[in-house]
Amino acid sequence: MTLKIAIAEDNSFLAKSVIEKLSFFNDLDYKFKGNNGAELIGKLEVNHNIDVILMDIQMPEMDGITATEIVKSKYPHIKIIMLTVFDDDENIFNAIKAGANGYLLKEIDAENLHKCILEVVSGGAPMTPSIALKTLNLLRNPFTIENSSEAEKLTLTNRETDILEQLSKGLNYNEIADNLIISPSTVRKHIENIYKKLQVHNKMEAVIMAQKHKLI
């Protein structure tokens, strides 16, 4: 059986990466992409013969959690996997409440993404291991969820912001070091701290996260 897949993703580079991962498998048939939740829902009104949606969370016009709630109410047969760089407690909780069937981080490789799509269609609830752990913690400590958005405001130092702005321009460590009159090793250390604070794994994710939280 060939599974029909749709994507909701506002970043064209990341969407292209996901589509490429799907193309490795003959039993996955990529159908269409929405640049935000509203556009995806509009396309579903034309063709809702879709098995699985890979849904980003932070998108303009309509975010992925709102879109998930709407899709689940209109097309309950469609399985939805959140595929995102965001793994904070509030997003996990709200995605599950909205009806998401799985929650994966975008760093997932093609083989595991394929396995998780098959799992969700078979009635499973695939999650990246770190997400599964957070979900268990949320179930054990539900009282902490309500105030999680207040407690987890992202903040960067002035120097970290400077470095992130340079990264967003595509500069490498040595160029950033020259511009800011610091050593490349200092730049590297700052970037490690930025990754930890933003809970990301590479430059692109760091820049996207910072832009979405208006840090740069």
Side-chain angles (χ1 to χ4, degrees):
M1 181 178 77
T2 301
L3 300 174
K4 295 169 282 297
I5 313 294
I7 296 171
E9 172 62 71
D10 62 319
N11 183 294
S12 58
F13 181 84
L14 293 178
K16 185 177 178 183
S17 173
V18 173
I19 293 166
E20 184 178 0
K21 290 175 184 177
L22 297 175
S23 70
F24 296 145
F25 305 97
N26 293 330
D27 56 348
L28 302 181
D29 181 14
Y30 163 68
K31 287 299 187 182
F32 56 78
K33 174 179 80 78
N35 292 314
N36 55 64
E39 184 174 314
L40 177 80
I41 289 167
K43 291 187 176 183
L44 285 173
E45 288 174 358
V46 177
N47 174 21
H48 55 264
N49 185 20
I50 295 293
D51 296 299
V52 179
I53 294 172
L54 301 177
M55 183 85 76
D56 188 23
I57 287 183
Q58 297 286 356
M59 296 181 288
E61 293 187 47
M62 182 187 291
D63 63 73
I65 290 172
T66 303
T68 294
E69 196 168 3
I70 294 171
V71 171
K72 279 297 183 180
S73 66
K74 294 178 107 176
Y75 313 108
H77 69 281
I78 299 178
K79 304 292 186 181
I80 298 179
I81 298 176
M82 311 309 288
L83 189 61
T84 178
V85 297
F86 296 90
D87 67 346
D88 61 272
D89 293 354
E90 186 186 16
N91 279 320
I92 296 168
F93 177 69
N94 289 334
I96 292 170
K97 257 200 333 184
N101 302 99
Y103 201 117
L104 306 173
L105 295 181
K106 287 181 181 174
E107 66 196 55
I108 191 169
D109 59 55
E111 186 176 342
N112 280 315
L113 177 59
H114 177 238
K115 184 173 76 173
C116 288
I117 290 172
L118 297 182
E119 182 182 342
V120 80
V121 170
S122 300
M127 290 188 179
T128 301
S130 63
I131 299 293
L133 181 59
K134 280 177 174 281
T135 304
L136 283 176
N137 288 335
L138 288 177
L139 291 172
R140 291 179 186 131
N141 303 286
F143 60 90
T144 63
I145 296 167
E146 298 300 328
N147 297 318
S148 61
S149 59
E150 297 283 327
E152 296 198 18
K153 299 220 184 230
L154 295 178
T155 57
L156 298 177
T157 66
N158 290 336
R159 178 58 86 193
E160 287 166 350
T161 302
D162 291 340
I163 288 173
L164 203 45
E165 286 175 345
Q166 301 272 316
L167 273 181
S168 71
K169 296 173 184 174
L171 302 181
N172 61 35
Y173 289 6
N174 290 331
E175 290 168 331
I176 293 172
D178 290 342
N179 288 344
L180 300 180
I181 318 177
I182 55 178
S183 70
S185 62
T186 300
V187 171
R188 187 171 290 106
K189 186 62 182 171
H190 279 303
I191 289 175
E192 286 175 6
N193 290 336
I194 290 169
Y195 285 6
K196 285 178 186 174
K197 286 185 178 182
L198 300 184
Q199 298 182 43
V200 297
H201 305 85
N202 57 52
K203 296 177 191 177
M204 178 179 296
E205 289 181 2
V207 170
I208 292 170
M209 177 76 84
Q211 289 172 339
K212 287 182 175 177
H213 283 269
K214 298 182 169 51
L215 297 175
I216 57 173

